[in-house]
Amino acid sequence: MADHYMVAVAGVVASLLWLVFWYCNSLVRVRGRSKLKRPASMDVPTENCEAVGTTDVIIVGAGVAGAALAYALGKDGRRVRVIERNLNAPCRIAGEGLMPGGHLKLIELGLEDCVEEIDAQPFLGLVLYKDGEDATLSFPLEKFKTDVAGKLFHNGRFVQRLREKAASLRNVSLEQGTVTSLIEENGTIKGVQYKDKSGRPLTASAPLTVVCDGCFSNLRRSLCNPKVDVPSHFVGFVLTNCKLPKEDYVTFILGDPSPVLFYRISSTEIRCLVDVPSEHLPSVSNGEMAHYLRTQVAPKVCVVLPELHTSFLSAIEKKDNIRVMPVRIMAAASHPTPGAFMIGDAFNMRHAITGGGMTVALSDVVLLRDLLRPLHGLSDAPAVSEYLNSFYTLRKPMSSTINTLANVLQKVFSASSDPAMKAMQQTCFGYTRLGGVFADGLSAMIAGLCPRPFSLLFHFLAMAMYGVGRLLLPFPSPKRMRSGAELLWVASSVLLPFIWSEGVRQMFFPLTVPAYYRTPPRNV
């Protein structure tokens, strides 16, 4: 009865809030569409045009963002040169999940076939387990074509397919080399210095250099604020010869000592990721990590998913199966530099727990492609740089929604001895079990289908009201009121720093940012 009462109250108040947020969000979306629907003045040739003359764009890095951008710009007739430090298939435990919103961006770029023939597995949502209860968050895909869904795969296979598509264009060259520095003249980037496979130093010149060489970028310090936080590490390994209770869903086990994820990356393999706080990271080399997984994580898996217990223990004991990846968080804080631009994980990172990184990267690629389309040439670097400043505001709906949600959820579901934080964890989990607009709204944002910061704020406020209501019932005693106040304080202390790092004005009031109204320079 109490839950129904709280749902009713939260629903009424949330509905009123929704009217306000819907109006503000609709205004932003309408103005945004009118800005982006500018007629392109550049003729787009066929994809087999001959590459002649100098390079228009140098792209540093051929990961997801770099390869997708090379293909997009190549299709638009740009002469693109891509320099990648290693053209072999990457072997990573990250970048294995593409959300439905990212899949839509892939389709928009004409790269949808890159998830074919790599044994990619579709997934339709998330299943959360906590304290003997479960909650299912299904992605709201009813309005989309039947083939639109989340995709799970080996990262290396996907990246290689993107590279093959980019290299198939005759005006795109893809070469292996390590970029060591940017070439700067009078404050303008003119190209890059790099070493080829044999170590021979070379230079490459172009009016625009786009840096997207990933989270380990050595060029980041020149183009943006390089501050990176590492709150935790993902410990990953592969399970075989087993099945998940819901094969088409990513499984989350929430609780002490840390969240555990399971998802299928091929028809025969299941990836397990264990989120471990950085200050408590055991060593892999001396066996401490295997002991930690066996004694601290395996018992929790056995209780929730007993069918995976045997395969879980076998995977731990398998030689060289355990890998560790630092999870990095870096706010987007650019240093606008004529002649250079930065996207992807080199520029902006969020916690990987929701798998939204590739969605943000592909969304940025689409936006950058659309901004460059009206430009005949790129030779006036200062004018192009000033015009492209609008990118940082226009990307905010997608990037800030996914970034903030991912960082907040990881912090909420990390182990804590604070009673208020534990109450916040239970509130968040209980909110997902309400169903209806509450669960659908959260899943849509996680999926990248609802890139609206006002929706994020709406759900946060509704969640806070739900949590306080749970604490105050059956009647608001002084102790319960104090607990409710502590919950609000903890919730605010978790959310507000991430909103601040994203930029309150750009995130919620982009129409007030002058760069939002930049138009293509007339002389370019």
Side-chain angles (χ1 to χ4, degrees):
M1 184 66 184
D3 281 343
H4 292 300
Y5 172 75
M6 286 185 289
V7 172
V9 173
V12 172
V13 179
S15 297
L16 295 176
L17 290 171
W18 178 255
L19 291 176
V20 178
F21 294 147
W22 175 83
Y23 174 77
C24 296
N25 189 60
S26 297
L27 180 62
V28 171
R29 283 188 293 156
V30 169
R31 296 295 296 273
R33 282 198 298 267
S34 65
K35 174 177 175 62
L36 288 177
K37 288 183 177 179
R38 294 179 298 224
S41 60
M42 188 181 77
D43 295 331
V44 180
T46 63
E47 66 179 73
N48 289 323
C49 64
E50 185 69 29
V52 295
T54 60
T55 302
D56 294 318
V57 181
I58 294 172
I59 297 178
V60 182
V64 172
L69 181 62
Y71 181 78
L73 297 183
K75 287 278 288 185
D76 279 359
R78 305 288 186 188
R79 292 160 296 190
V80 182
R81 184 174 185 176
V82 186
I83 305 173
E84 162 61 34
R85 67 169 64 95
N86 189 346
L87 289 176
N88 295 323
C91 185
R92 304 178 60 196
I93 62 171
E96 296 175 322
L98 181 65
M99 290 295 171
H103 191 195
L104 289 173
K105 295 299 179 182
L106 204 67
I107 294 172
E108 190 172 349
L109 290 167
L111 293 168
E112 62 272 20
D113 57 342
C114 290
V115 292
E116 299 174 359
E117 299 179 3
I118 60 172
D119 200 15
Q121 305 296 300
F123 77 106
L124 306 176
L126 318 172
V127 182
L128 284 65
Y129 294 90
K130 180 176 174 58
D131 300 331
E133 297 181 317
D134 64 86
T136 299
L137 291 175
S138 296
F139 298 143
L141 301 173
E142 298 81 8
K143 298 179 181 180
F144 303 98
K145 296 180 180 179
T146 55
D147 59 340
V148 174
K151 297 290 182 179
L152 300 167
F153 40 66
H154 282 269
N155 172 268
R157 298 175 184 174
F158 179 57
V159 170
Q160 289 299 83
R161 289 281 287 152
L162 291 173
R163 291 172 178 175
E164 290 169 4
K165 285 284 288 188
S168 69
L169 303 180
R170 299 179 64 182
N171 52 321
V172 175
S173 66
L174 185 61
E175 62 182 294
Q176 184 164 311
T178 301
V179 174
T180 55
S181 63
L182 301 173
I183 300 174
E184 182 179 346
E185 294 182 11
N186 301 321
T188 299
I189 303 302
K190 298 294 186 177
V192 298
Q193 293 181 337
Y194 70 103
K195 295 181 179 179
D196 64 11
K197 291 176 62 175
S198 63
R200 181 180 51 164
L202 298 170
T203 62
S205 301
L208 179 63
T209 298
V210 181
V211 177
C212 41
D213 53 346
C215 61
F216 299 105
S217 174
N218 63 341
L219 304 177
R220 175 185 297 130
R221 194 172 299 275
S222 304
L223 301 175
C224 71
N225 186 341
K227 182 182 177 182
V228 177
D229 294 325
V230 184
S232 65
H233 287 69
F234 266 141
V235 180
F237 48 93
V238 173
L239 284 66
T240 56
N241 303 318
C242 56
K243 291 185 176 182
L244 294 170
K246 290 189 175 182
E247 290 284 274
D248 294 335
Y249 285 75
V250 174
T251 298
F252 281 76
I253 301 177
L254 307 173
D256 295 336
S258 55
V260 183
L261 290 71
F262 292 94
Y263 53 90
R264 186 167 291 283
I265 58 174
S266 74
S267 55
T268 59
E269 299 166 298
I270 292 175
R271 170 73 72 194
C272 175
L273 290 179
V274 181
D275 190 49
V276 182
S278 294
E279 62 270 19
H280 300 140
L281 185 67
S283 171
V284 175
S285 59
N286 63 10
E288 289 180 359
M289 181 63 74
H291 177 75
Y292 171 83
L293 296 172
R294 190 184 308 109
T295 59
Q296 300 295 319
V297 181
K300 179 169 58 177
V301 173
C302 181
V303 171
V304 179
L305 302 172
E307 61 269 41
L308 293 184
H309 189 239
T310 300
S311 296
F312 186 92
L313 293 177
S314 298
I316 294 172
E317 302 302 330
K318 187 177 179 181
K319 185 178 179 181
D320 298 328
N321 195 29
I322 300 176
R323 302 181 61 192
V324 178
M325 178 198 74
V327 178
R328 302 163 185 266
I329 295 177
M330 186 180 73
S334 66
H335 298 159
T337 305
F341 208 76
M342 179 172 274
I343 63 172
D345 282 350
F347 169 62
N348 181 207
M349 290 178 281
R350 76 292 310 149
H351 199 283
I353 194 168
T354 60
M358 285 193 290
T359 300
V360 173
L362 291 171
S363 176
D364 285 353
V365 168
V366 170
L367 178 56
L368 184 57
R369 177 202 65 180
D370 292 345
L371 286 173
L372 290 175
R373 271 183 168 173
L375 304 183
H376 288 284
L378 303 172
S379 57
D380 190 346
V384 171
S385 178
E386 184 179 2
Y387 163 64
L388 290 180
N389 277 341
S390 61
F391 170 88
Y392 303 113
T393 299
L394 294 172
R395 72 184 295 269
K396 281 297 177 179
M398 178 70 81
S399 64
S400 63
T401 301
I402 291 179
N403 292 349
T404 305
L405 185 62
N407 295 335
V408 167
L409 288 180
Q410 188 275 335
K411 197 161 187 178
V412 168
F413 286 122
S414 295
S416 174
S417 58
D418 183 357
M421 182 59 81
K422 288 186 176 181
M424 187 65 193
Q425 293 173 0
Q426 193 59 50
T427 294
C428 187
F429 181 75
Y431 188 82
T432 64
R433 290 171 56 85
L434 294 179
V437 65
F438 307 105
D440 287 347
L442 275 181
S443 64
M445 287 188 291
I446 293 173
L449 299 174
C450 182
R452 301 166 191 167
F454 275 113
S455 293
L456 177 67
L457 188 59
F458 160 76
H459 283 283
F460 178 79
L461 293 175
M463 190 182 301
M465 289 185 293
Y466 168 77
V468 172
R470 291 178 65 253
L471 293 174
L472 294 182
L473 291 178
F475 58 89
S477 67
K479 183 178 180 180
R480 290 193 176 105
M481 292 178 68
R482 179 181 177 181
S483 297
E486 290 176 347
L487 175 65
L488 291 176
W489 174 258
V490 167
S492 299
S493 66
V494 170
L495 177 70
L496 294 182
F498 292 118
I499 289 181
W500 184 262
S501 68
E502 290 291 332
V504 175
R505 187 181 179 188
Q506 285 186 312
M507 187 172 176
F508 294 106
F509 309 106
L511 299 181
T512 68
V513 180
Y516 185 87
Y517 301 96
R518 296 271 166 82
T519 57
R522 295 180 179 180
N523 59 338
V524 176

